[in-house]
């Protein structure tokens, strides 16, 4: 059986205004990780990281400003 685990981090918790800042996927084959991994940081453009989100993932606006935008990934 093949499964894919997806994880994201965001600028906050609002579905209307917050943006994705990290995407990670790992493929599992019979519940064991394979070498198929996808990981990208995402520039949230003009959306600032909320203090609570920064406390959770530690990605600053400055760090994310150098990453590609979602449409570029």
């Amino acid at each position: 059986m093949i499964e894919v685990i997806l994880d994201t981090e965001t600028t906050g918790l609002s579905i209307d205004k917050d943006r994705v800042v990290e995407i990670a996927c790992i493929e599992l084959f019979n519940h064991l990780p394979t070498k198929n991994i996808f990981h990208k940081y995402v520039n949230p453009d003009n959306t600032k990281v909320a203090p609570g989100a920064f406390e959770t993932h530690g990605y600053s606006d400055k760090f994310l400003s150098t990453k590609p935008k979602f449409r570029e990934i």
Side-chain angles (χ1 to χ4, degrees):
M1 172 170 47
I2 296 175
E3 301 169 277
V4 176
I5 307 299
L6 169 70
D7 185 40
T8 61
E9 294 293 344
T10 63
T11 57
L13 296 177
S14 172
I15 194 166
D16 295 329
K17 68 176 184 166
D18 288 308
R19 300 290 177 256
V20 171
V21 297
E22 183 180 28
I23 303 168
C25 299
I26 186 167
E27 180 185 67
L28 304 178
F29 180 72
N30 291 331
H31 306 290
L32 297 174
T34 70
K35 294 185 181 196
N36 290 328
I37 296 171
F38 177 84
H39 178 261
K40 296 286 181 183
Y41 294 109
V42 182
N43 180 335
D45 210 4
N46 294 322
T47 304
K48 300 295 183 196
V49 176
F54 179 77
E55 288 177 25
T56 300
H57 54 59
Y59 307 142
S60 68
D61 294 323
K62 183 177 179 181
F63 171 77
L64 295 169
S65 70
T66 64
K67 306 307 174 200
K69 295 184 180 165
F70 191 86
R71 66 182 165 273
E72 298 169 341
I73 295 177

